[in-house]
Amino acid sequence: DTLWDLAIAEVEKRENADDDGKRVEVWEKSLLFMGNKNGGKTTIILRCLEREEIPKPTLALEYTFGRRARRHNTPKDIAHFWELGGGTSLLELIRIPITSNNVRSFAVVLVLDLSKPNELWTTIEKLLQVTRNHVNKILTKLEKTNPEVATEIKQRMRNNLQRDHPDYDLVDPFPIPLVIIGSKYDIFHEFDSEMRKIISKTLRFVSHYYGASLVFTSKSEALLLKARVLINHLAFGYDKSKSLSVDHGKPLFIPAGLDSLSQIGPPPASDNDIGKMRANTPLELWKKVFEKTFPPKSFCDLQDTKDPAQDLQYAEYEVDVMRAQKNQ
């Protein structure tokens, strides 16, 4: 062995040795944050990593990571945090962080701005559809190359709901762990109580249908802490929270698998209205009821995307001079 080989072996031994010399496995997970533009994704990530930075607008796809030691003198677990900026305008970039190598340890955090109800359904539909299609393509490939892993991933998502749960056959779990965060609860709390009820019930249905956890959060420390509990569970394997809050007058907190269609109740519309709506699936029916109250705005995230080359935080003298010359 060369000197380098010996050095590498020594470092590996130190990093992976437990008290009695046994190998300790380093936990490595990845999370992708996506959702409404200016919905508070960066703020939530910074709070989870306990960083006191002022959040900047996210450009395209950004990456950061966090490390935690489970016990004293053990190697630190790593969590990779990806954040997709631009609302729903840059969906193609989802393919970069989620790959067949890491899909087994991947989770998605969807951050929805509760203060913009007219954008909610479009954001949920676009982002989850593209992500689901991409993950399903990966799983189809894995079924040929590594069938055990593909089966394990599919089985794990079914495990969120006990087999004896009355809704076991009525839901369609997302292929990888999913957390839905409703941000800006402080603004949402000022809404009319009937509007709040419709939004809360709809988000409960969507979360339950996809086998996701749901939490409402704002700048308040107590609410951010609840969101952190769910994220730390996915990122570092911390214990799941046992608490539950389904009261529409308060911030919702519902870990995956703890809700049910009977508790959520029917879509908030009269029987007469529901009878007139043509829908093939429960999800479609809820969408029609929700969009009757909150018609989707035809908003395009692309229109207000500023040119990052003009942004001072990315200034680079040599590059900018060459660009100016080229433009001239």
Side-chain angles (χ1 to χ4, degrees), residues 48-290:
C48 283
L49 298 173
E50 293 171 17
R51 290 192 194 153
E52 299 293 330
E53 294 168 30
I54 295 165
K56 291 190 186 123
T58 302
L59 180 78
L61 185 67
E62 293 199 0
Y63 168 83
T64 186
F65 67 93
R67 298 172 77 184
R68 296 267 190 288
R70 262 174 278 187
R71 293 191 304 282
H72 186 57
N73 275 348
T74 56
K76 288 185 173 176
D77 296 327
I78 302 164
H80 306 280
F81 288 80
W82 294 87
E83 185 189 349
L84 181 71
T88 56
S89 63
L90 302 167
L91 291 172
E92 290 299 302
L93 295 177
I94 285 171
R95 296 185 312 216
I96 296 168
I98 311 178
T99 65
S100 51
N101 296 330
N102 67 11
V103 70
R104 195 177 180 181
S105 58
F106 216 99
V108 169
V109 180
L110 178 64
V111 180
L112 300 170
D113 185 338
L114 295 173
S115 68
K116 296 177 183 166
N118 300 75
E119 294 179 14
L120 280 184
W121 197 283
T122 318
T123 306
I124 294 169
E125 198 169 55
K126 280 189 178 174
L127 289 169
L128 293 187
Q129 220 167 3
V130 172
T131 311
R132 179 170 224 154
N133 292 345
H134 174 59
V135 172
N136 283 342
K137 272 184 201 158
I138 290 176
L139 291 180
T140 309
K141 270 189 203 159
L142 278 176
E143 274 166 0
K144 293 174 188 146
T145 56
N146 198 339
E148 294 90 18
V149 171
T151 311
E152 181 202 318
I153 291 170
K154 285 181 177 172
Q155 193 45 52
R156 191 178 59 193
M157 279 326 291
R158 273 283 170 199
N159 290 347
N160 261 342
L161 221 52
Q162 303 301 326
R163 232 170 226 292
D164 55 3
H165 193 293
D167 307 335
Y168 190 79
D169 296 318
L170 301 171
V171 297
D172 184 13
F174 205 67
I176 53 179
L178 173 66
V179 169
I180 296 177
I181 297 180
S183 66
K184 305 194 184 174
Y185 179 77
D186 43 342
I187 302 173
F188 172 75
H189 191 56
E190 304 295 317
F191 284 10
D192 167 69
S193 67
E194 201 47 45
M195 281 169 69
R196 288 207 312 264
K197 193 176 169 186
I198 294 173
I199 296 168
S200 298
K201 274 184 88 161
T202 304
L203 288 180
R204 275 180 70 183
F205 172 78
V206 169
S207 300
H208 183 58
Y209 185 77
Y210 284 129
S213 298
L214 175 66
V215 59
F216 283 1
T217 183
S218 70
K219 287 184 177 138
S220 108
E221 206 54 44
L223 288 186
L224 272 170
L225 199 64
K226 292 200 156 189
R228 272 176 65 183
V229 166
L230 288 176
I231 292 166
N232 279 333
H233 169 67
L234 291 177
F236 300 107
Y238 287 11
D239 290 345
K240 275 185 176 175
S241 172
K242 295 281 188 292
S243 73
L244 181 70
S245 168
V246 293
D247 178 352
H248 294 143
K250 296 180 181 151
L252 296 180
F253 182 82
I254 311 171
L258 295 187
D259 215 339
S260 70
L261 295 174
S262 58
Q263 280 178 297
I264 297 166
S270 68
D271 293 348
N272 190 20
D273 280 348
I274 287 180
K276 290 179 195 161
M277 292 176 183
R278 293 185 180 280
N280 298 324
T281 62
L283 195 65
E284 216 173 295
L285 180 64
W286 276 84
K287 174 184 176 172
K288 289 192 167 162
V289 171
F290 185 78

